[in-house]
Amino acid sequence: MKIFCVGRNYAEHAKELGNEVSDEPIIFIKPKSALLQSHTPFYYPEFTNEINYECELVLRISKNGKYIQEKYAANYYNGISVGIDFTARDIQNRLKEKSLPWEKAKAFDNSAAVGKFIDITPQFNKKDINFSFKLNKDVVQKANSAEMIFNFDSLIANISTYFSVNIGDLSLTGTPQGVGECVVGDELEAFIENQSLLKLLIK
Ligand code: ZN
């Protein structure tokens, strides 16, 4: 099982970190050991002094595939949730400066928190999903899937050009603006529409 993640998929977020928008999806992978389930605490790692939250919509892959065409991509995922792409921003900045791979900043243990899934039914409008993220009860991130630069289907098509997608894989589809730091004691909660799907504490 692997977790595909997408960088800079919302223009306003790319801007807030001083990054340019890419003309093709920026993909990186987190291993299975990165998965953190809802209601499990996130233990602040000792190797960083700057953990950022990035709240993102998450897709659940339901079919094995490779070289999936965009027009068929919707057949390859059947669930949606919200997740947090925990990022050691201090380490990421250091690695980026030296043009080094950023796994240490992004793919460490428990760095991908994933909430409860909602089944995607034919009635579900994937182009109009509101999601939001609360830090200690304040809404700090709020967006709609329509704001994504690359939509779900084009992401799956692009990912599967390079990597096989397998049943049980997940994809975090990029964070909107509003990312920020979290510290020990913080309470994090993520929603699709008004439904709370992910809740955890930083310990
Ligand atoms: Zn992210």
Side-chain angles (χ1 to χ4, degrees):
M1 180 269 186
K2 53 202 179 293
I3 304 165
F4 300 106
C5 299
V6 182
R8 303 175 204 170
N9 202 20
Y10 291 77
E12 289 301 313
H13 167 64
K15 222 189 275 175
E16 76 181 345
L17 291 187
N19 291 317
E20 277 173 23
V21 168
S22 172
D23 52 9
E24 65 170 313
I26 297 169
I27 306 296
F28 57 99
I29 290 181
K30 299 195 189 219
K32 189 180 173 189
S33 49
L35 185 66
L36 180 71
Q37 310 275 5
S38 183
H39 296 282
T40 312
F42 175 87
Y43 289 95
Y44 202 103
E46 82 291 343
F47 51 75
T48 170
N49 292 309
E50 192 187 358
I51 286 287
N52 275 200
Y53 55 82
E54 297 186 355
C55 180
E56 318 197 354
L57 289 171
V58 184
L59 300 178
R60 182 180 63 202
I61 303 293
S62 55
K63 193 174 167 182
N64 296 334
K66 176 84 184 166
Y67 296 114
I68 300 162
Q69 290 178 51
E70 192 173 330
K71 61 181 173 187
Y72 301 123
N75 300 326
Y76 287 81
Y77 55 93
N78 68 356
I80 188 157
S81 188
V82 265
I84 299 165
D85 167 18
F86 283 110
T87 303
R89 195 71 73 197
D90 49 353
I91 295 176
Q92 188 192 30
N93 288 338
R94 224 151 58 212
L95 295 169
K96 265 166 75 179
E97 261 167 41
K98 298 180 187 155
S99 302
L100 292 170
W102 66 26
E103 273 87 349
K104 284 182 173 176
K106 283 277 197 185
F108 54 87
D109 285 0
N110 302 327
S111 60
V114 174
K116 209 174 78 187
F117 279 89
I118 299 172
D119 291 332
I120 296 176
T121 58
Q123 296 76 32
F124 194 86
N125 184 1
K126 290 177 290 183
K127 295 192 172 96
D128 183 20
I129 305 166
N130 290 300
F131 66 106
S132 60
F133 175 68
K134 285 184 185 173
L135 179 68
N136 301 322
K137 311 238 186 278
D138 294 326
V139 178
V140 289
Q141 289 192 281
K142 197 175 182 347
N144 185 285
S145 58
E147 296 162 37
M148 292 193 299
I149 296 168
F150 300 100
N151 65 24
F152 299 145
D153 294 351
S154 70
L155 288 175
I156 297 298
N158 185 270
I159 287 168
S160 72
T161 304
Y162 301 89
F163 312 99
S164 313
V165 302
N166 295 112
I167 297 171
D169 287 350
L170 302 173
S171 179
L172 274 68
T173 57
T175 192
Q177 71 267 39
V179 303
E181 217 178 328
C182 46
V183 296
V184 172
D186 281 346
E187 199 182 290
L188 282 52
E189 191 170 14
F191 300 79
I192 287 181
E193 304 297 341
N194 293 322
Q195 206 177 341
S196 170
L197 298 174
L198 173 68
K199 204 170 179 175
L200 53 88
L201 264 174
I202 311 287
K203 284 201 172 176

